[in-house]
Amino acid sequence: MPYVISDACIACGACEAECPASAISEGDPHYVIDESTCIDCGACSGVCPVDAPQEKA
Ligand code: SF4
Ligand code: SF4
């Protein structure tokens, strides 16, 4: 399942650079993942300081 970014996101931008699929972009109020582009690698979760990216249930 694709990852989704929760409201815990503090918009630091760290995950955007780490995504191999370029699925992450700045949104309002927080960063967002394009679910159709995400390849479910988990890299965003690994770099996020607040653990905001979570695998969609
Ligand atoms: Fe990008 Fe991987 Fe995170 Fe999906 S799980 S948004 S492909 S870094
Ligand atoms: Fe938000 Fe975490 Fe991505 Fe930073 S690394 S923009 S806090 S989801």
Side-chain angles (χ1 to χ4, degrees):
M1 296 299 288
Y3 276 63
V4 292
I5 293 175
S6 78
D7 289 344
C9 173
I10 56 173
C12 72
C15 58
E16 184 179 14
E18 293 298 318
C19 179
S22 297
I24 304 174
S25 59
E26 193 170 3
D28 182 15
H30 56 67
Y31 275 65
V32 292
I33 293 171
D34 178 356
E35 293 184 22
S36 63
T37 306
C38 175
I39 57 172
D40 197 17
C41 72
C44 51
S45 180
V47 297
C48 181
V50 294
D51 205 24
Q54 300 283 341
E55 196 163 12
K56 201 173 177 183

Short mmCIF file of all heavy atoms in Angstrom, two decimals:
data_model
loop_
_atom_site.label_atom_id
_atom_site.label_comp_id
_atom_site.label_asym_id
_atom_site.label_seq_id
_atom_site.Cartn_x
_atom_site.Cartn_y
_atom_site.Cartn_z
N MET A 1 0.85 -1.20 0.00
CA MET A 1 0.00 0.00 0.00
C MET A 1 0.88 1.25 0.00
O MET A 1 1.96 1.24 0.54
CB MET A 1 -0.89 0.00 1.25
CG MET A 1 -1.89 -1.14 1.31
SD MET A 1 -3.05 -1.13 -0.05
CE MET A 1 -4.08 0.29 0.41
N PRO A 2 0.42 2.33 -0.61
CA PRO A 2 1.21 3.56 -0.62
C PRO A 2 1.28 4.18 0.77
O PRO A 2 0.50 3.83 1.66
CB PRO A 2 0.42 4.47 -1.57
CG PRO A 2 -0.97 3.97 -1.49
CD PRO A 2 -0.84 2.48 -1.33
N TYR A 3 2.24 5.06 0.92
CA TYR A 3 2.37 5.79 2.17
C TYR A 3 1.54 7.07 2.10
O TYR A 3 1.31 7.62 1.01
CB TYR A 3 3.84 6.13 2.43
CG TYR A 3 4.61 5.00 3.07
CD1 TYR A 3 4.77 3.79 2.40
CD2 TYR A 3 5.15 5.13 4.35
CE1 TYR A 3 5.47 2.74 2.99
CE2 TYR A 3 5.85 4.08 4.94
CZ TYR A 3 6.01 2.89 4.27
OH TYR A 3 6.69 1.85 4.86
N VAL A 4 1.12 7.54 3.27
CA VAL A 4 0.42 8.81 3.35
C VAL A 4 1.07 9.62 4.48
O VAL A 4 1.59 9.05 5.44
CB VAL A 4 -1.09 8.63 3.65
CG1 VAL A 4 -1.80 7.99 2.47
CG2 VAL A 4 -1.30 7.81 4.91
N ILE A 5 1.07 10.93 4.34
CA ILE A 5 1.68 11.81 5.34
C ILE A 5 0.58 12.34 6.26
O ILE A 5 -0.39 12.93 5.80
CB ILE A 5 2.45 12.96 4.66
CG1 ILE A 5 3.67 12.37 3.92
CG2 ILE A 5 2.89 14.00 5.68
CD1 ILE A 5 4.45 13.38 3.09
N SER A 6 0.79 12.14 7.55
CA SER A 6 -0.22 12.54 8.53
C SER A 6 -0.10 14.02 8.90
O SER A 6 0.86 14.70 8.51
CB SER A 6 -0.07 11.70 9.81
OG SER A 6 1.02 12.19 10.57
N ASP A 7 -1.03 14.48 9.70
CA ASP A 7 -1.04 15.86 10.17
C ASP A 7 0.15 16.18 11.07
O ASP A 7 0.39 17.34 11.40
CB ASP A 7 -2.34 16.16 10.92
CG ASP A 7 -3.55 16.21 9.99
OD1 ASP A 7 -3.35 16.31 8.77
OD2 ASP A 7 -4.68 16.13 10.50
N ALA A 8 0.92 15.15 11.46
CA ALA A 8 2.08 15.38 12.31
C ALA A 8 3.20 16.08 11.55
O ALA A 8 4.13 16.62 12.14
CB ALA A 8 2.58 14.05 12.87
N CYS A 9 3.12 16.07 10.23
CA CYS A 9 4.16 16.67 9.37
C CYS A 9 4.42 18.13 9.73
O CYS A 9 3.48 18.91 9.85
CB CYS A 9 3.73 16.57 7.91
SG CYS A 9 4.80 17.43 6.74
N ILE A 10 5.71 18.46 9.89
CA ILE A 10 6.09 19.84 10.21
C ILE A 10 6.65 20.55 8.97
O ILE A 10 7.28 21.60 9.08
CB ILE A 10 7.10 19.90 11.37
CG1 ILE A 10 8.34 19.04 11.05
CG2 ILE A 10 6.45 19.42 12.67
CD1 ILE A 10 9.48 19.19 12.07
N ALA A 11 6.45 19.94 7.80
CA ALA A 11 6.84 20.54 6.52
C ALA A 11 8.32 20.88 6.43
O ALA A 11 8.70 21.93 5.92
CB ALA A 11 5.98 21.77 6.22
N CYS A 12 9.17 19.97 6.90
CA CYS A 12 10.62 20.22 6.86
C CYS A 12 11.19 19.98 5.47
O CYS A 12 12.25 20.48 5.12
CB CYS A 12 11.33 19.35 7.88
SG CYS A 12 11.40 17.60 7.44
N GLY A 13 10.51 19.15 4.68
CA GLY A 13 10.96 18.89 3.32
C GLY A 13 11.97 17.77 3.15
O GLY A 13 12.37 17.46 2.02
N ALA A 14 12.42 17.17 4.22
CA ALA A 14 13.45 16.13 4.14
C ALA A 14 13.03 14.93 3.28
O ALA A 14 13.83 14.39 2.53
CB ALA A 14 13.81 15.65 5.55
N CYS A 15 11.80 14.56 3.37
CA CYS A 15 11.35 13.37 2.64
C CYS A 15 11.30 13.57 1.14
O CYS A 15 11.55 12.64 0.37
CB CYS A 15 9.97 12.95 3.15
SG CYS A 15 8.72 14.24 3.00
N GLU A 16 11.01 14.77 0.71
CA GLU A 16 10.86 15.03 -0.73
C GLU A 16 12.12 14.64 -1.49
O GLU A 16 12.06 14.01 -2.55
CB GLU A 16 10.52 16.50 -0.95
CG GLU A 16 10.24 16.82 -2.43
CD GLU A 16 9.88 18.28 -2.66
OE1 GLU A 16 10.08 19.11 -1.77
OE2 GLU A 16 9.38 18.58 -3.75
N ALA A 17 13.28 14.98 -0.94
CA ALA A 17 14.54 14.69 -1.61
C ALA A 17 14.89 13.21 -1.59
O ALA A 17 15.65 12.73 -2.43
CB ALA A 17 15.66 15.50 -0.96
N GLU A 18 14.35 12.49 -0.63
CA GLU A 18 14.68 11.07 -0.48
C GLU A 18 13.82 10.15 -1.33
O GLU A 18 14.17 8.99 -1.56
CB GLU A 18 14.53 10.65 0.98
CG GLU A 18 15.54 11.28 1.92
CD GLU A 18 16.98 10.89 1.56
OE1 GLU A 18 17.23 9.72 1.25
OE2 GLU A 18 17.85 11.78 1.57
N CYS A 19 12.70 10.63 -1.80
CA CYS A 19 11.77 9.75 -2.51
C CYS A 19 12.31 9.39 -3.91
O CYS A 19 12.48 10.27 -4.75
CB CYS A 19 10.41 10.43 -2.64
SG CYS A 19 9.23 9.40 -3.53
N PRO A 20 12.55 8.10 -4.17
CA PRO A 20 13.10 7.68 -5.46
C PRO A 20 12.08 7.80 -6.59
O PRO A 20 12.45 7.77 -7.77
CB PRO A 20 13.49 6.23 -5.20
CG PRO A 20 12.56 5.76 -4.14
CD PRO A 20 12.35 6.97 -3.25
N ALA A 21 10.83 7.95 -6.23
CA ALA A 21 9.78 8.02 -7.25
C ALA A 21 9.27 9.45 -7.46
O ALA A 21 8.36 9.68 -8.24
CB ALA A 21 8.62 7.11 -6.86
N SER A 22 9.87 10.39 -6.74
CA SER A 22 9.42 11.79 -6.79
C SER A 22 7.92 11.90 -6.58
O SER A 22 7.22 12.63 -7.28
CB SER A 22 9.80 12.43 -8.14
OG SER A 22 11.20 12.45 -8.30
N ALA A 23 7.44 11.15 -5.58
CA ALA A 23 6.01 11.12 -5.30
C ALA A 23 5.58 12.15 -4.27
O ALA A 23 4.39 12.34 -4.03
CB ALA A 23 5.63 9.73 -4.81
N ILE A 24 6.56 12.83 -3.65
CA ILE A 24 6.25 13.75 -2.57
C ILE A 24 6.37 15.20 -3.03
O ILE A 24 7.32 15.57 -3.70
CB ILE A 24 7.20 13.52 -1.37
CG1 ILE A 24 7.11 12.06 -0.92
CG2 ILE A 24 6.86 14.47 -0.22
CD1 ILE A 24 8.11 11.69 0.17
N SER A 25 5.38 15.99 -2.66
CA SER A 25 5.42 17.40 -3.00
C SER A 25 4.87 18.23 -1.85
O SER A 25 4.18 17.72 -0.97
CB SER A 25 4.62 17.68 -4.28
OG SER A 25 3.28 17.28 -4.10
N GLU A 26 5.22 19.52 -1.88
CA GLU A 26 4.77 20.40 -0.83
C GLU A 26 3.28 20.66 -1.01
O GLU A 26 2.83 20.95 -2.12
CB GLU A 26 5.55 21.72 -0.88
CG GLU A 26 5.37 22.57 0.35
CD GLU A 26 6.34 23.75 0.37
OE1 GLU A 26 7.10 23.92 -0.58
OE2 GLU A 26 6.31 24.49 1.36
N GLY A 27 2.55 20.54 0.09
CA GLY A 27 1.12 20.80 0.02
C GLY A 27 0.72 21.75 1.13
O GLY A 27 1.57 22.25 1.85
N ASP A 28 -0.53 21.98 1.26
CA ASP A 28 -1.03 22.87 2.30
C ASP A 28 -2.07 22.12 3.11
O ASP A 28 -3.08 21.70 2.54
CB ASP A 28 -1.65 24.11 1.63
CG ASP A 28 -2.14 25.14 2.64
OD1 ASP A 28 -1.76 25.04 3.82
OD2 ASP A 28 -2.93 26.01 2.25
N PRO A 29 -1.88 21.91 4.42
CA PRO A 29 -0.84 22.53 5.25
C PRO A 29 0.43 21.69 5.37
O PRO A 29 1.39 22.16 5.98
CB PRO A 29 -1.53 22.63 6.62
CG PRO A 29 -2.39 21.40 6.65
CD PRO A 29 -2.86 21.20 5.23
N HIS A 30 0.47 20.50 4.83
CA HIS A 30 1.70 19.70 4.97
C HIS A 30 2.03 19.00 3.66
O HIS A 30 1.25 19.05 2.71
CB HIS A 30 1.57 18.71 6.13
CG HIS A 30 0.40 17.78 6.02
ND1 HIS A 30 0.30 16.80 5.04
CD2 HIS A 30 -0.74 17.67 6.76
CE1 HIS A 30 -0.83 16.14 5.20
NE2 HIS A 30 -1.50 16.66 6.22
N TYR A 31 3.19 18.35 3.63
CA TYR A 31 3.63 17.65 2.43
C TYR A 31 2.67 16.50 2.12
O TYR A 31 2.03 15.93 3.03
CB TYR A 31 5.06 17.13 2.61
CG TYR A 31 6.10 18.18 2.28
CD1 TYR A 31 6.21 19.34 3.05
CD2 TYR A 31 6.96 18.02 1.19
CE1 TYR A 31 7.14 20.31 2.74
CE2 TYR A 31 7.90 18.99 0.88
CZ TYR A 31 7.99 20.13 1.65
OH TYR A 31 8.92 21.10 1.33
N VAL A 32 2.58 16.17 0.85
CA VAL A 32 1.66 15.12 0.43
C VAL A 32 2.35 14.12 -0.49
O VAL A 32 3.31 14.45 -1.18
CB VAL A 32 0.43 15.71 -0.30
CG1 VAL A 32 -0.44 16.51 0.66
CG2 VAL A 32 0.86 16.57 -1.47
N ILE A 33 1.84 12.90 -0.48
CA ILE A 33 2.36 11.83 -1.33
C ILE A 33 1.31 11.51 -2.40
O ILE A 33 0.13 11.33 -2.09
CB ILE A 33 2.64 10.57 -0.50
CG1 ILE A 33 3.80 10.82 0.46
CG2 ILE A 33 2.94 9.37 -1.41
CD1 ILE A 33 4.03 9.72 1.50
N ASP A 34 1.77 11.44 -3.64
CA ASP A 34 0.88 11.03 -4.73
C ASP A 34 0.78 9.50 -4.64
O ASP A 34 1.73 8.77 -4.93
CB ASP A 34 1.48 11.45 -6.07
CG ASP A 34 0.63 10.99 -7.25
OD1 ASP A 34 -0.38 10.29 -7.03
OD2 ASP A 34 0.99 11.34 -8.38
N GLU A 35 -0.36 9.03 -4.22
CA GLU A 35 -0.53 7.59 -3.97
C GLU A 35 -0.34 6.74 -5.22
O GLU A 35 0.04 5.58 -5.14
CB GLU A 35 -1.91 7.33 -3.36
CG GLU A 35 -2.05 7.92 -1.96
CD GLU A 35 -3.39 7.57 -1.33
OE1 GLU A 35 -4.02 6.58 -1.74
OE2 GLU A 35 -3.81 8.30 -0.42
N SER A 36 -0.61 7.29 -6.37
CA SER A 36 -0.47 6.50 -7.60
C SER A 36 0.98 6.42 -8.06
O SER A 36 1.32 5.59 -8.90
CB SER A 36 -1.35 7.09 -8.70
OG SER A 36 -0.93 8.39 -9.03
N THR A 37 1.85 7.27 -7.50
CA THR A 37 3.27 7.29 -7.87
C THR A 37 4.14 6.58 -6.85
O THR A 37 5.18 6.02 -7.18
CB THR A 37 3.75 8.75 -8.03
OG1 THR A 37 2.89 9.44 -8.93
CG2 THR A 37 5.17 8.81 -8.56
N CYS A 38 3.71 6.60 -5.59
CA CYS A 38 4.47 5.97 -4.50
C CYS A 38 4.69 4.48 -4.77
O CYS A 38 3.77 3.76 -5.14
CB CYS A 38 3.68 6.13 -3.20
SG CYS A 38 4.41 5.29 -1.78
N ILE A 39 5.97 4.05 -4.59
CA ILE A 39 6.30 2.64 -4.81
C ILE A 39 6.48 1.88 -3.50
O ILE A 39 7.04 0.79 -3.47
CB ILE A 39 7.56 2.50 -5.69
CG1 ILE A 39 8.76 3.24 -5.06
CG2 ILE A 39 7.30 3.03 -7.10
CD1 ILE A 39 10.09 2.98 -5.78
N ASP A 40 6.03 2.51 -2.40
CA ASP A 40 5.97 1.79 -1.14
C ASP A 40 7.34 1.38 -0.60
O ASP A 40 7.49 0.29 -0.06
CB ASP A 40 5.07 0.55 -1.34
CG ASP A 40 4.60 -0.04 -0.03
OD1 ASP A 40 4.68 0.64 1.00
OD2 ASP A 40 4.16 -1.21 -0.04
N CYS A 41 8.36 2.24 -0.79
CA CYS A 41 9.72 1.86 -0.38
C CYS A 41 10.02 2.17 1.08
O CYS A 41 10.92 1.58 1.67
CB CYS A 41 10.73 2.56 -1.27
SG CYS A 41 10.88 4.33 -0.96
N GLY A 42 9.31 3.13 1.65
CA GLY A 42 9.52 3.46 3.06
C GLY A 42 10.63 4.46 3.34
O GLY A 42 10.88 4.79 4.49
N ALA A 43 11.31 4.96 2.30
CA ALA A 43 12.42 5.89 2.51
C ALA A 43 11.98 7.16 3.23
O ALA A 43 12.69 7.69 4.08
CB ALA A 43 13.06 6.25 1.18
N CYS A 44 10.80 7.65 2.90
CA CYS A 44 10.30 8.88 3.52
C CYS A 44 10.12 8.69 5.03
O CYS A 44 10.46 9.56 5.82
CB CYS A 44 8.99 9.31 2.88
SG CYS A 44 7.73 8.01 2.78
N SER A 45 9.62 7.54 5.39
CA SER A 45 9.41 7.24 6.80
C SER A 45 10.74 7.22 7.55
O SER A 45 10.83 7.68 8.68
CB SER A 45 8.70 5.89 6.94
OG SER A 45 8.49 5.57 8.28
N GLY A 46 11.78 6.74 6.87
CA GLY A 46 13.10 6.64 7.50
C GLY A 46 13.76 7.97 7.79
O GLY A 46 14.55 8.07 8.72
N VAL A 47 13.46 9.00 7.00
CA VAL A 47 14.13 10.29 7.21
C VAL A 47 13.26 11.29 7.98
O VAL A 47 13.75 12.31 8.42
CB VAL A 47 14.55 10.94 5.87
CG1 VAL A 47 15.58 10.07 5.16
CG2 VAL A 47 13.35 11.22 4.99
N CYS A 48 11.99 11.00 8.12
CA CYS A 48 11.10 11.96 8.77
C CYS A 48 11.36 12.07 10.27
O CYS A 48 11.35 11.07 10.98
CB CYS A 48 9.64 11.55 8.55
SG CYS A 48 8.49 12.72 9.30
N PRO A 49 11.58 13.31 10.77
CA PRO A 49 11.86 13.50 12.20
C PRO A 49 10.65 13.29 13.10
O PRO A 49 10.81 13.13 14.32
CB PRO A 49 12.36 14.95 12.27
CG PRO A 49 11.68 15.62 11.12
CD PRO A 49 11.65 14.58 10.02
N VAL A 50 9.46 13.29 12.53
CA VAL A 50 8.26 13.14 13.36
C VAL A 50 7.42 11.91 12.97
O VAL A 50 6.28 11.77 13.40
CB VAL A 50 7.39 14.41 13.32
CG1 VAL A 50 8.12 15.58 13.97
CG2 VAL A 50 6.98 14.76 11.89
N ASP A 51 7.99 11.05 12.13
CA ASP A 51 7.32 9.80 11.75
C ASP A 51 5.94 10.03 11.13
O ASP A 51 5.01 9.28 11.38
CB ASP A 51 7.20 8.90 12.99
CG ASP A 51 7.10 7.42 12.63
OD1 ASP A 51 7.58 7.05 11.54
OD2 ASP A 51 6.55 6.64 13.43
N ALA A 52 5.87 11.07 10.32
CA ALA A 52 4.57 11.41 9.72
C ALA A 52 4.15 10.49 8.57
O ALA A 52 2.96 10.22 8.42
CB ALA A 52 4.57 12.87 9.26
N PRO A 53 5.09 10.01 7.73
CA PRO A 53 4.65 9.11 6.65
C PRO A 53 4.31 7.74 7.22
O PRO A 53 5.14 7.11 7.90
CB PRO A 53 5.87 9.04 5.72
CG PRO A 53 6.74 10.19 6.11
CD PRO A 53 6.51 10.34 7.59
N GLN A 54 3.14 7.29 6.95
CA GLN A 54 2.69 5.99 7.46
C GLN A 54 2.14 5.18 6.31
O GLN A 54 1.49 5.72 5.41
CB GLN A 54 1.60 6.17 8.53
CG GLN A 54 2.02 6.97 9.74
CD GLN A 54 2.88 6.18 10.71
OE1 GLN A 54 2.89 4.95 10.68
NE2 GLN A 54 3.62 6.88 11.57
N GLU A 55 2.37 3.87 6.36
CA GLU A 55 1.82 3.03 5.31
C GLU A 55 0.29 3.02 5.46
O GLU A 55 -0.24 2.87 6.55
CB GLU A 55 2.38 1.61 5.44
CG GLU A 55 2.15 0.79 4.18
CD GLU A 55 3.03 -0.45 4.12
OE1 GLU A 55 3.63 -0.81 5.15
OE2 GLU A 55 3.08 -1.06 3.05
N LYS A 56 -0.37 3.19 4.36
CA LYS A 56 -1.82 3.26 4.37
C LYS A 56 -2.38 1.90 4.80
O LYS A 56 -1.92 0.86 4.31
CB LYS A 56 -2.33 3.62 2.97
CG LYS A 56 -3.72 4.19 2.94
CD LYS A 56 -4.05 4.67 1.53
CE LYS A 56 -5.48 5.18 1.45
NZ LYS A 56 -5.82 5.57 0.07
N ALA A 57 -3.34 1.94 5.68
CA ALA A 57 -3.89 0.69 6.21
C ALA A 57 -4.71 -0.03 5.15
O ALA A 57 -5.30 0.60 4.30
CB ALA A 57 -4.75 0.97 7.44
FE1 SF4 B 1 8.40 7.96 -1.98
FE2 SF4 B 1 9.02 5.60 -0.97
FE3 SF4 B 1 7.79 7.40 0.55
FE4 SF4 B 1 6.46 6.23 -1.42
S1 SF4 B 1 7.27 5.22 0.42
S2 SF4 B 1 6.45 8.41 -0.96
S3 SF4 B 1 8.07 5.99 -2.97
S4 SF4 B 1 9.86 7.58 -0.31
FE1 SF4 B 2 6.79 16.28 6.76
FE2 SF4 B 2 8.30 14.31 7.71
FE3 SF4 B 2 8.39 14.92 5.11
FE4 SF4 B 2 9.45 16.56 6.93
S1 SF4 B 2 10.16 14.49 6.45
S2 SF4 B 2 8.14 17.17 5.17
S3 SF4 B 2 7.99 16.33 8.65
S4 SF4 B 2 6.61 14.11 6.25
#
